[in-house]
Amino acid sequence: MEAVPSSLQAEIQQTTPFRSLSEEAILSILRTADLVRTAITDLLAPAGITMQQYNVLRILRGAGEAGLPTLAIGDRMIESAPGITRLLDRMEAKSWVSRTRCKIDRRVVHARISTEGLRLLDNLDQPLRSSTALGLSGMEESALGQLIQLLAAARQSIQPGEPAAPRQTAKDEEFASKARN
Amino acid sequence: MEAVPSSLQAEIQQTTPFRSLSEEAILSILRTADLVRTAITDLLAPAGITMQQYNVLRILRGAGEAGLPTLAIGDRMIESAPGITRLLDRMEAKSWVSRTRCKIDRRVVHARISTEGLRLLDNLDQPLRSSTALGLSGMEESALGQLIQLLAAARQSIQPGEPAAPRQTAKDEEFASKARN
DNA sequence: CATCAATAGTTGACATGACAATCATTGTCT
DNA sequence: AGACAATGATTGTCATGTCAACTATTGATG
């Protein structure tokens, strides 16, 4: 990163009565994420599905016929296992997924997306994927690129000495995941 | 797979086969926010206080002796009223706040921060304010400035035609708020 | 003054999220 | 084999967040 003319900084300082840029950045991140979250939630609501459920569906679609063990889903969403179990409970009740106990290792339970689940996803993919609905379409590509990089830097900065759990390779199916520790 | 990442962008592309920059940006925002959230949560946990509760305390500290009506708190956190009621229930149980019914308008209930609440805040302010603990201290000032601006742009882009509820002027006491609408 | 809409809070019901504890199975070690 | 630690899921409990419905007041209106 090259040094930026202090004019920009002055400008910012002027308009932000925050203790520090760092704190303002934190606030900005939280606020923006909440906006995004509610935007997505609102988009999904008509279909009667929550963000987390949608997330699981996408993960399961990516997993294919074989399905995925409960904990594996939890890993991808980096959410605690108990949550997944209950999430799947509700999704199974809506027939979006089915669960079967593994015959090889009877401790494992595989969850698979159902035809209905796939249909639901197909209907939802477009509106969400075309980020038009989600906004951000108004931003320039270069700005988005910068934003992405800066956020990556922020995450780096937040997670300093952590043993760095094997960074999950964000596959195609994931939509949003949670941070841990 | 051995595509030697010459540029940063290539590096990112390599690990993130996202449909669009926009979507990747959204994911980045969500992930980063969650990281921040858990970082803050972890910082507060030892004191036995949650982020929301800490938030309310700061708002109440800002409100001073007079206290603040329940719904007013909700407005500042842009959180639904029911949540505030129960949040205050728990906080009152811990004697961090007290509530009194307004004599002029008996529908209103004022919440005030207690001495204990103030003491708690004093103990927590430093570690949180010195964003050292929270990370982001590793980022350059200029990068933080850029990040803040880009996030602001993103929020603009997300909330397009909304009637734009009167933007709350982020006062001193607020720490984090939620998005609404 | 009696009725009623609006306002401020609260309660009820349900979905998450996080932690601790528990159950069933596997794998290991002796 | 028999005891036990480790693993995969699930259940219990508590804090939140959201929506709908309800209570208590206030204020406005005829």
Side-chain angles (χ1 to χ4, degrees), chain A residues 1-4 8-9 11-13 17-40 42 51 58 128-129 131 134-139 141-155 157-159 167-181, chain B residues 8-9 12 15-40 42 51 58 128-159 167-168 170-181:
Chain A
M1 288 278 142
E2 18 61 65
V4 168
L8 210 180
Q9 211 186 336
E11 185 184 318
I12 290 177
Q13 281 257 305
F18 291 95
R19 276 68 82 201
S20 65
L21 275 185
S22 176
E23 183 156 346
E24 183 178 359
I26 301 239
L27 287 182
S28 298
I29 291 170
L30 290 175
R31 264 204 287 265
T32 309
D34 277 326
L35 258 189
V36 168
R37 219 182 299 274
T38 56
I40 296 178
D42 289 352
M51 211 172 126
R58 290 191 45 161
L128 273 168
R129 212 171 265 208
S131 49
L134 240 185
L136 291 208
S137 48
M139 292 182 70
E141 293 266 304
S142 62
L144 284 178
Q146 269 187 36
L147 177 55
I148 291 168
Q149 290 191 353
L150 287 169
L151 286 171
R155 288 196 298 277
S157 186
I158 290 172
Q159 273 201 325
R167 217 64 214 112
Q168 49 174 336
T169 41
K171 285 260 184 78
D172 162 48
E173 70 284 349
E174 271 130 317
F175 183 69
S177 41
K178 243 207 59 186
R180 218 291 159 335
N181 183 319
Chain B
L8 227 178
Q9 214 195 349
I12 289 177
T15 55
T16 61
F18 291 98
R19 278 67 84 200
S20 65
L21 274 185
S22 176
E23 184 156 345
E24 184 177 358
I26 301 234
L27 286 182
S28 298
I29 292 169
L30 290 175
R31 264 204 288 265
T32 309
D34 277 326
L35 257 189
V36 168
R37 218 182 300 275
T38 56
I40 296 177
D42 289 353
M51 212 172 125
R58 287 187 54 155
L128 273 167
R129 212 171 265 208
S130 71
S131 50
T132 313
L134 240 185
L136 290 209
S137 48
M139 290 182 71
E140 309 236 354
E141 293 265 305
S142 61
L144 283 178
Q146 271 186 35
L147 177 55
I148 290 167
Q149 289 197 340
L150 287 170
L151 286 172
R155 287 196 299 277
Q156 279 279 320
S157 184
I158 290 173
Q159 273 203 326
R167 218 66 213 111
Q168 51 174 334
K171 286 259 183 80
D172 163 47
E173 70 284 348
E174 270 129 318
F175 183 69
S177 40
K178 244 207 59 187
R180 220 292 165 323
N181 184 330

Side-chain angles (χ1 to χ4, degrees), chain B residues 49-71:
Chain B
I49 187 174
T50 68
M51 212 172 125
Q52 295 307 316
Q53 293 172 342
Y54 174 71
N55 217 337
V56 169
L57 274 195
R58 287 187 54 155
I59 290 175
L60 288 183
R61 177 176 58 185
E65 271 303 310
L68 220 53
T70 304
L71 291 194

